[in-house]
Amino acid sequence: MNRTWFAFLPNLISLGRLILVPVSVDMIASRRWTEALIIFVVAGASDAVDGWVARRFDLRSELGAYLDAIADKALLICDYVALAIVGQLPMALALLVVSRDVMIIGAVILAWLLDRPMKIKPLWISKANTFGQIGLVAAVLAALAFNWPLGLWATAGQWAVAALTLASLAAYFRRWVTHMSA
């Protein structure tokens, strides 16, 4: 395949998802739940599409891997914080989600500064954590959009996400300590 503008398509999709982040936060802040849900679903679909296009047409790139991860994390972190600020999720959960990512990024930067760079590979617990985080935001936004009660299921989901987030952080911390001790 001729690598013209099409070669940058997965990156453009990731950039589009990144542009949706402030729009998503604005919809949550404005309590426009249906629009917030639609944006979240579109962002999720764009994540699947950019990955498929990159794999299918062999358009994977280092830039694309970073853009994809940044767009995903920005959307999740911002939506957790926004939902906490408007009182739909506990602030402690939002802080836990944010803190996990900040600690992982900090550890990677510290390893790099100490001339011990690490290759980051997602762990199965990290994938489960991401799935749980996405699922909780989607479920809360859907409940708010369709006027469903946030009951026991939401509390159970919050505890599950908290547990997965802590487990993921512990697994990455263990990997980091092992790497730095070698």
Side-chain angles (χ1 to χ4, degrees):
M1 163 170 275
N2 185 3
R3 294 179 68 91
T4 58
W5 68 270
F6 185 72
F8 200 66
L9 183 59
N11 297 347
L12 288 174
I13 295 170
S14 291
L15 285 171
R17 189 164 60 258
L18 199 54
I19 290 168
L20 288 177
V21 172
V23 179
S24 178
V25 169
D26 183 53
M27 294 302 106
I28 291 169
S30 304
R31 299 179 189 275
R32 294 172 61 185
W33 305 123
T34 303
E35 293 90 340
L37 176 62
I38 290 168
I39 290 167
F40 194 77
V41 169
V42 166
S46 77
D47 188 25
V49 169
D50 73 14
W52 179 82
V53 169
R55 284 186 304 279
R56 170 69 175 85
F57 298 103
D58 194 26
L59 300 174
R60 289 171 284 214
S61 67
E62 187 174 359
L63 173 62
Y66 283 115
L67 284 175
D68 183 60
I70 289 168
D72 292 346
K73 284 299 164 190
L75 182 67
L76 274 177
I77 286 172
C78 290
D79 280 2
Y80 267 85
V81 170
L83 286 166
I85 288 171
V86 298
Q88 299 301 324
L89 284 177
M91 185 58 74
L93 182 61
L95 291 173
L96 180 61
V97 167
V98 172
S99 296
R100 173 202 170 267
D101 289 336
V102 168
M103 285 188 247
I104 290 170
I105 291 167
V108 169
I109 290 171
L110 181 58
W112 180 74
L113 289 173
L114 295 174
D115 203 25
R116 308 260 317 168
M118 295 180 66
K119 180 151 178 86
I120 298 297
K121 295 185 300 188
L123 305 172
W124 71 267
I125 189 67
S126 174
K127 291 180 181 187
N129 176 52
T130 300
F131 181 77
Q133 288 179 358
I134 290 168
L136 182 59
V137 170
V140 167
L141 289 175
L144 294 166
F146 296 108
N147 290 317
W148 298 332
L150 292 174
L152 187 57
W153 68 266
T155 302
Q158 293 164 15
W159 281 105
V161 165
L164 286 168
T165 301
L166 287 170
S168 174
L169 177 60
Y172 276 116
F173 182 71
R174 181 173 178 252
R175 180 181 273 182
W176 182 79
V177 167
T178 301
H179 173 79
M180 295 304 285
S181 301

